[in-house]
Amino acid sequence: MPNTTVLVVDDSKVSRMMITAIIKDQRSDWTIIEAGCGDDAIEASKDKAIDLCIIDYNMPGMDGLELATKLKESFPSTPMSLLTANVQESTKEKAEAIGVRFTRKPITDERVTSILDLVS
Amino acid sequence: MNKLNELQQDILTEAFNLGMGSAAASLSEIVRSEISLSVPNLTFIDKHTAAERLSQNTDSDLSGVSEGFTGPFCGKALLLFPAEQSLELVRLMLQDSVPLESLTAFEEEALNEIGNIILNAGLGSLADMFGSRIETEIPTYTHGSTKEIFEAQNSANSLHDVVLFLQVDFLIKESDINGFVVYLLDVDSMKDLTNLLDVYLSKIS
Amino acid sequence: MKQHSSINNIEILDSIIDQTVHGLIVLDAELKIQYWNQWMESRSGIYSYEVINQSIDHVFANSNLIRIKGALRNAIDKGHSASLSQSFSDFKLGLYNNKQKTLEIIPQIAISPLKDSSKLCLMQITDVSAAVTRERLLKSIANEAHLGKEAAENLSQLKSSFVATVSHELRTPLTSMIGSLGLLKGGVVGDFNDAQSNLLNIAYRNSELLLSLINSILDLEKIESGTIEFNFKNISINDLLEQATSGMAGYGEQVDINFTLTLLKDDLTVYGDYDKLLQVLNNLLSNAAKFSQKGQTVKLYAKQIKHFVRIGVEDKGQGIPEAFKSTIYDKFTQLESQDNRNANGTGLGLAIAKLIVEKHNGKIDFKSVIGKGTTFYVDIPTASEINIKNIQKNIQTG
């Protein structure tokens, strides 16, 4: 059985470090693909099986929801969550409207774990 | 000594991201509209250049609020709007017509209060991230060209002109009001700042 | 540690605080009052011994404290300062006079952490009731002025469209009349005897005068309301002067007046509307001719004065009486010329001329002596960057 693969997208290297550290700690056998922006994420996920997406909202170029919408075309049944500092109601509503989870930053073990649990 | 390495810069930017996210949420509730934020832009420059950089985004006079802060690092936080847009914002907040061409003293105070809420939210998040306490001073209304405003930000803790300049642009979508949040960090506190960042980095690695 | 002064004496510091014209309250981490200054005592009618160690809820029992308490908590827990303006907080402080509560004051409140280790915060209260009342009054006056201004603008717009419509409605039948009379006069449909011709001429002439009057009124209204289109570009003064005199040549022959022209030795350029400036010159030249005697000369010249070009129209005619001098630019003011040649004027020419010249950032003036003659001057700034910018601004603001 192929490894569960997570796509982690955040323009902050440190944030990616923190998220991947938690994933490695909680799910040591999972494969992690990192990207620093929307375009890189799409490139990196081409022709791959992605089982979970963790996406920052505020990024240069495409924002997190635009990316999620694009990814949903290739991975319609993959669970996705925003992990973001942008905690406005409107962002939350937009995410829910396209079936994307909304998780607030700061990045903590509990918050990341709750996203990982989306993959049954 | 004045520069931050890539990771340190990353953490600081993320920290302000968090702060601004919080601040935008507060502002969003007050003006009942969505706020869009730019990615924070971080540089080391002197105040003169900082003023110039900001004035590239707008050539009108600016109105806003300035708030000093002390803690693990010190400096000034500013929330600025192009002058006519500050009138718009006050009208929006007070749901009142502003028949005069400039803000009266009380409209200034209203702007002050909003600025205070926003800047405090931003600095509060920042403090939370590092587990520190950042104390803020009572905000003051400020107005003028970018140069005039920046020149007026004398910090009692620093004689140097060089600051860590961080600019976040935001847009109140429904009313098309745009503004800037600027943090001017004293270079004197750089050592404390880099220590803090390194401690944080070691905690998460 | 900051040292603002050399005063260490507690009594003196206490005295300073008591003489402060603002309320100063210090609260601890449980929001209990630890300091209540003299201003607070006299304004609230509550003595400090009554409130020390009391919770703020207890002291301001009837007030809405949600925002204030939130700010106080932030100050203590996070070290954040707050500025609570009277626009958003509806907290009111009772104002006492001899323990009788007379009215409430509107306060402005500033809250800040005290920078020491015992977790205290400071609340400063400023009485802004008088200022708020003044401001509200100011606002209502400004509002009314604003409404008044809007009403005036609406009226002006109504007037403009009224004038435009009426002028159009008047012009159409008038043009028809002039056309028909012209054909009759010209003998196209047959000849007339002298008496009939005479009547026809009178009818024709007056119709033309009426049309001219309507056009002038419309012109004037357009310039005044800023709806006329000015077509600004760089113009040679010598060109303008030559055009003016050659245009006047026919008229000059008709009324037996000699027009002479002195060009600039070194031509100058102005930034202006060629046709409108020509209109001004034509008006001045025909006025000069009307008020001169047969056979006299009217001079047109230009000279440079610093960064202006002065165009002069000089006649040796009857001059302008003193009494007239102040009203000469007014609308419909007409001087009677000695042989009544001005009967064909509308009285609007100079009014229009003045507006046109002013739109060019220029000035119009005259010198006149009864029986000796009159010289009209039009001063226009020479074309330069500043001038062009000013004019463009002028046009935009109408």
Side-chain angles (χ1 to χ4, degrees):
Chain A
M1 197 172 87
N3 265 357
T4 310
T5 308
V6 187
L7 177 64
V8 175
V9 190
D10 196 316
D11 59 326
S12 156
K13 196 164 169 185
V14 168
S15 293
R16 295 199 310 268
M17 269 171 66
M18 289 173 71
I19 298 169
T20 52
I22 298 171
I23 299 175
K24 286 198 181 127
D25 188 54
Q26 303 276 326
R27 304 275 195 279
S28 53
D29 58 335
W30 283 19
T31 307
I32 305 171
I33 299 180
E34 289 182 45
C37 67
D39 289 327
D40 289 350
I42 293 177
E43 194 52 46
S45 61
K46 256 195 208 156
D47 305 324
K48 300 242 174 54
I50 304 285
D51 303 299
L52 178 67
C53 297
I54 304 179
I55 306 170
D56 182 22
Y57 179 76
N58 247 31
M59 292 188 291
M62 231 185 282
D63 71 42
L65 283 172
E66 282 168 356
L67 176 60
T69 312
K70 285 216 166 92
L71 288 170
K72 281 234 174 239
E73 287 167 23
S74 322
F75 308 101
S77 51
T78 302
M80 298 184 188
S81 178
L82 285 185
L83 179 55
T84 176
N86 185 329
V87 295
Q88 295 176 59
E89 268 310 304
S90 47
T91 316
K92 195 164 172 210
E93 281 164 20
K94 280 193 200 164
E96 276 163 19
I98 60 169
V100 170
R101 254 274 288 264
F102 182 90
T103 312
R104 311 168 87 109
K105 273 187 183 171
I107 300 166
T108 62
D109 282 3
E110 299 81 34
R111 290 185 183 166
V112 176
T113 310
S114 74
I115 301 176
L116 302 181
D117 289 341
L118 289 176
V119 181
S120 37
Chain B
M1 209 46 232
N2 268 355
K3 300 288 178 192
L4 296 175
N5 68 35
E6 194 194 324
L7 281 178
Q8 288 169 333
Q9 228 168 305
D10 194 317
I11 301 172
L12 199 58
T13 308
E14 263 304 282
F16 279 105
N17 238 346
L18 259 170
M20 277 311 297
S22 237
S26 292
L27 182 58
S28 175
E29 272 175 38
I30 294 169
V31 298
R32 290 166 294 271
S33 161
E34 192 182 334
I35 314 280
S36 73
L37 296 172
S38 73
V39 175
N41 183 310
L42 203 88
T43 40
F44 277 96
I45 42 181
D46 60 276
K47 276 199 264 179
H48 181 84
T49 316
E52 268 174 26
R53 217 164 269 197
L54 191 62
S55 62
Q56 277 167 18
N57 296 52
T58 170
D59 43 33
S60 65
D61 273 1
L62 301 172
S63 283
V65 165
S66 148
E67 192 171 89
F69 58 88
T70 53
F73 37 86
C74 315
K76 285 278 166 88
L78 297 114
L79 173 69
L80 299 168
F81 300 92
E84 334 75 53
Q85 294 192 31
S86 70
L87 289 177
E88 263 312 298
L89 182 62
V90 170
R91 278 185 199 115
L92 199 63
M93 293 177 334
L94 299 181
Q95 295 179 319
D96 191 14
S97 62
V98 179
L100 305 173
E101 303 255 298
S102 61
L103 294 178
T104 62
F106 289 113
E107 284 147 0
E108 286 177 13
E109 282 306 315
L111 194 62
N112 225 21
E113 189 161 347
I114 295 304
N116 180 225
I117 293 171
I118 293 165
L119 294 174
N120 276 355
L123 290 165
S125 262
L126 202 57
D128 286 344
M129 180 156 167
F130 296 119
S132 316
R133 181 175 161 106
I134 295 181
E135 293 197 348
T136 64
E137 288 160 13
I138 295 169
T140 46
Y141 175 78
T142 180
H143 178 89
S145 70
T146 50
K147 265 209 189 95
E148 284 163 359
I149 292 176
F150 279 36
E151 254 157 42
Q153 308 311 318
N154 288 318
S155 180
N157 295 329
S158 170
L159 300 166
H160 300 249
D161 243 357
V162 178
V163 290
L164 174 57
F165 173 63
L166 191 123
Q167 178 183 333
V168 177
D169 300 355
F170 64 87
L171 177 68
I172 299 176
K173 281 194 169 163
E174 269 168 39
S175 23
D176 217 19
I177 295 174
N178 73 296
F180 319 95
V181 175
V182 174
Y183 295 93
L184 304 172
L185 266 68
D186 292 345
V187 167
D188 272 4
S189 21
M190 280 315 295
K191 187 139 178 276
D192 298 317
L193 176 62
T194 46
N195 282 341
L196 203 71
L197 295 172
D198 288 337
V199 164
Y200 186 79
L201 204 57
S202 62
K203 263 200 282 189
I204 61 168
S205 329
Chain C
M1 202 174 83
K2 286 189 205 173
Q3 203 80 26
H4 287 297
S5 73
S6 53
I7 298 174
N8 284 320
N9 187 326
I10 291 278
E11 267 141 29
I12 295 181
L13 291 171
D14 253 337
S15 167
I16 293 174
I17 297 175
D18 276 338
Q19 289 179 60
T20 305
V21 296
H22 300 288
L24 297 173
I25 306 174
V26 175
L27 300 108
D28 66 14
E30 280 116 53
L31 300 191
K32 289 196 186 140
I33 294 173
Q34 301 303 332
Y35 198 107
W36 183 264
N37 78 335
Q38 196 159 294
W39 190 96
M40 285 309 304
E41 285 186 328
S42 59
R43 285 306 187 282
S44 68
I46 305 171
Y47 290 110
S48 57
Y49 68 80
E50 294 177 68
V51 293
I52 296 292
N53 263 318
Q54 298 290 329
S55 148
I56 187 175
D57 289 301
H58 184 77
V59 176
F60 296 114
N62 299 325
S63 307
N64 182 351
L65 291 179
I66 296 176
R67 293 208 63 217
I68 292 180
K69 281 169 76 173
L72 290 169
R73 278 261 65 92
N74 267 341
I76 304 261
D77 299 337
K78 296 189 181 174
H80 289 176
S81 298
S83 165
L84 303 178
S85 73
Q86 46 79 43
S87 317
F88 294 115
S89 316
D90 56 2
F91 173 79
K92 293 215 175 45
L93 194 64
L95 187 64
Y96 287 80
N97 201 342
N98 289 329
K99 282 280 191 184
Q100 297 290 105
K101 186 168 152 190
T102 52
L103 51 90
E104 287 173 326
I105 68 165
I106 302 171
Q108 194 157 292
I109 299 175
I111 290 172
S112 52
L114 275 183
K115 295 183 185 199
D116 69 353
S117 53
S118 23
K119 291 253 174 161
L120 294 174
C121 68
L122 176 67
M123 181 160 138
Q124 300 179 57
I125 299 183
T126 309
D127 179 357
V128 292
S129 321
V132 170
T133 312
R134 263 204 309 276
E135 162 154 335
R136 287 183 186 155
L137 185 61
L138 206 77
K139 269 197 171 180
S140 68
I141 293 176
N143 255 330
E144 282 194 28
H146 186 74
L147 288 171
K149 185 166 167 245
E150 268 183 4
E153 277 172 3
N154 283 340
L155 196 62
S156 169
Q157 268 196 8
L158 275 174
K159 190 186 99 177
S160 283
S161 49
F162 176 74
V163 170
T165 314
V166 168
S167 304
H168 177 77
E169 297 301 316
L170 289 177
R171 268 205 291 226
T172 319
L174 203 50
T175 317
S176 253
M177 274 171 63
I178 293 175
S180 311
L181 288 171
L183 287 172
L184 277 175
K185 206 168 71 106
V188 167
V189 291
D191 288 325
F192 295 96
N193 65 39
D194 282 346
Q196 288 168 328
S197 284
N198 202 23
L199 288 176
L200 270 176
N201 280 331
I202 293 174
Y204 184 79
R205 216 171 47 231
N206 279 285
S207 303
E208 281 201 313
L209 180 59
L210 198 53
L211 185 64
S212 164
L213 183 62
I214 294 173
N215 283 334
S216 292
I217 292 176
L218 197 60
D219 245 2
L220 193 61
E221 207 285 324
K222 274 197 200 157
I223 297 179
E224 274 182 340
S225 67
T227 50
I228 202 167
E229 298 236 324
F230 275 85
N231 196 352
F232 278 85
K233 57 179 201 256
N234 284 335
I235 299 172
S236 133
I237 289 291
N238 280 348
D239 255 351
L240 189 67
L241 298 180
E242 276 175 335
Q243 183 66 42
T245 18
S246 64
M248 275 285 147
Y251 178 70
E253 268 183 34
Q254 229 180 24
V255 296
D256 195 11
I257 294 287
N258 186 24
F259 288 105
T260 66
L261 170 61
T262 313
L263 290 170
L264 287 166
K265 214 171 21 169
D266 296 309
D267 196 6
L268 290 169
T269 314
V270 294
Y271 188 65
D273 181 319
Y274 190 86
D275 292 330
K276 304 274 185 315
L277 285 177
L278 195 56
Q279 193 178 342
V280 170
L281 291 185
N282 285 341
N283 176 261
L284 294 179
L285 287 167
S286 66
N287 278 351
K290 281 179 202 164
F291 292 92
S292 297
Q293 285 168 346
K294 285 211 169 127
Q296 281 187 324
T297 303
V298 168
K299 295 191 188 162
L300 175 64
Y301 62 88
K303 59 184 183 188
Q304 178 167 18
I305 302 187
K306 286 211 192 145
H307 54 272
F308 277 86
V309 60
R310 171 166 291 185
I311 302 176
V313 174
E314 184 189 305
D315 69 63
K316 299 267 188 256
Q318 63 187 74
I320 302 171
E322 208 49 53
F324 237 95
K325 286 187 179 172
S326 54
T327 60
I328 202 167
Y329 297 109
D330 291 352
K331 295 181 227 189
F332 304 114
T333 304
Q334 274 185 294
L335 192 54
E336 268 180 33
S337 63
Q338 274 162 355
D339 48 7
N340 217 22
R341 249 181 278 144
N342 204 25
N344 288 337
T346 58
L348 290 176
L350 275 179
I352 294 177
K354 182 160 183 276
L355 279 178
I356 292 175
V357 170
E358 280 167 5
K359 269 287 186 267
H360 285 75
N361 260 4
K363 232 179 41 162
I364 184 168
D365 204 354
F366 63 91
K367 267 201 180 55
S368 183
V369 181
I370 296 279
K372 290 253 170 78
T374 308
T375 306
F376 265 84
Y377 310 108
V378 169
D379 291 345
I380 310 227
T382 48
S384 68
E385 242 183 75
I386 302 170
N387 185 38
I388 293 176
K389 273 208 188 108
N390 281 339
I391 291 185
Q392 286 168 338
K393 230 194 286 173
N394 219 349
I395 306 176
Q396 276 166 12
T397 56

